[in-house]
Amino acid sequence: MTGGKLIVFSAPSGSGKTTIVQHLLKQEILNLDFSISATSREPRKGEIHGKDYYYISLKQFKQHIKNSDFLEWEEVYRDNFYGTLKTEVDRIWAKGKNVIFDIDVVGGLRIKKKYPVETLSVFVKPPSVDELKIRLKKRKTESEEKINMRIAKASVELATAPQFDFIIENIDLEVALKEAEVLVENYINKSDE
Ligand code: 5GP
């Protein structure tokens, strides 16, 4: 694999990283394309196969693991597997674009470790765990049990923040979006020199 840059956004669920990543994808100057992960979880209402995720069965997922098809993979929640297929990065680099990832902290750090020079790793920090709970409840995409599972994981994830290249505190979304834009633009421009 050779080519463009890898931009990793990781954060606890509900931190706003997906909103930030979607905003960055709209900035043509950044020349980004989204790394579509494979997952064994069920699609949520409105999600599209081949756009949000590649929705595959647990059996298919395990076969990909066996075949070493993943750049990284993780059982993010029990029986919910998520992973980045190597072909996904090849597909985007072949188009001459930079790859942007919306993945969990373990996967994000793994990519940084594999490609230390090509990767910018960014952690999106929510104002507090309480605020995270409020946001997840508002989103209404998960059951109470799943929200609690995500909150329990968030505290562990927050502890990994110092291992990332940058931390963006998502207190005010507009500020966080601008900060992310400048950060990624500087990184891409700097590495083009
Ligand atoms: P959700 O179910 O809310 O879409 O995602 C749950 C978590 O899995 C999020 O933190 C999301 O960023 C993460 N995730 C999505 N794709 C991947 C992936 O390919 N690898 C890893 N390690 N995590 C992922």
Side-chain angles (χ1 to χ4, degrees):
M1 282 193 334
T2 53
K5 300 294 161 212
L6 305 173
I7 313 291
V8 168
F9 274 80
S10 296
S13 183
S15 304
K17 74 173 180 306
T18 303
T19 310
I20 295 176
V21 167
Q22 292 307 319
H23 172 79
L24 293 174
L25 279 163
K26 285 190 207 130
Q27 314 306 315
E28 280 181 24
I29 192 173
L30 302 178
N31 196 27
L32 298 170
D33 202 351
F34 182 60
S35 167
I36 304 163
S37 298
T39 184
S40 66
R41 86 146 160 77
E42 293 293 317
R44 291 186 193 126
K45 204 169 162 242
E47 286 184 340
I48 298 167
H49 175 81
K51 180 174 173 278
D52 299 290
Y53 282 106
Y54 300 116
Y55 300 95
I56 60 176
S57 66
L58 197 56
K59 196 170 161 219
Q60 282 173 309
F61 202 103
K62 290 190 173 163
Q63 191 57 48
H64 278 306
I65 296 175
K66 256 196 199 150
N67 298 349
S68 304
D69 292 334
F70 287 113
L71 188 58
E72 62 77 37
W73 64 269
E74 200 62 36
E75 185 175 7
V76 178
Y77 306 106
R78 212 169 139 217
D79 278 342
N80 282 2
F81 286 71
Y82 297 79
T84 307
L85 290 161
K86 292 175 184 164
T87 49
E88 201 46 25
V89 176
D90 290 338
R91 174 182 76 79
I92 296 170
W93 277 356
K95 291 198 283 186
K97 294 194 148 201
N98 302 301
V99 188
I100 188 161
F101 301 85
D102 173 345
I103 65 178
D104 91 316
V105 296
V106 180
L109 291 171
R110 233 173 236 159
I111 288 178
K112 176 72 188 180
K113 205 169 170 196
K114 277 198 181 164
Y115 296 97
V117 181
E118 296 89 343
T119 306
L120 170 73
S121 65
V122 186
F123 187 92
V124 182
K125 203 172 165 192
S128 66
V129 173
D130 282 346
E131 175 63 24
L132 208 62
K133 200 166 190 171
I134 294 168
R135 287 183 192 177
L136 283 174
K137 280 193 171 162
K138 252 195 213 159
R139 200 160 85 178
K140 291 194 180 124
T141 51
E142 266 84 24
S143 62
E144 183 79 21
E145 186 203 342
K146 290 220 166 127
I147 289 178
N148 288 338
M149 204 161 80
R150 285 176 185 238
I151 293 295
K153 196 169 152 63
S155 309
V156 181
E157 289 169 326
L158 281 168
T160 68
Q163 295 177 54
F164 285 76
D165 296 330
F166 282 96
I167 299 173
I168 290 182
E169 283 208 46
N170 186 10
I171 298 167
D172 178 324
L173 183 62
E174 286 309 312
V175 175
L177 292 178
K178 197 67 216 166
E179 207 179 321
E181 224 178 294
V182 172
L183 191 62
V184 174
E185 193 175 349
N186 284 346
Y187 179 74
I188 289 171
N189 287 340
K190 187 186 80 192
S191 23
D192 276 350
E193 281 166 10

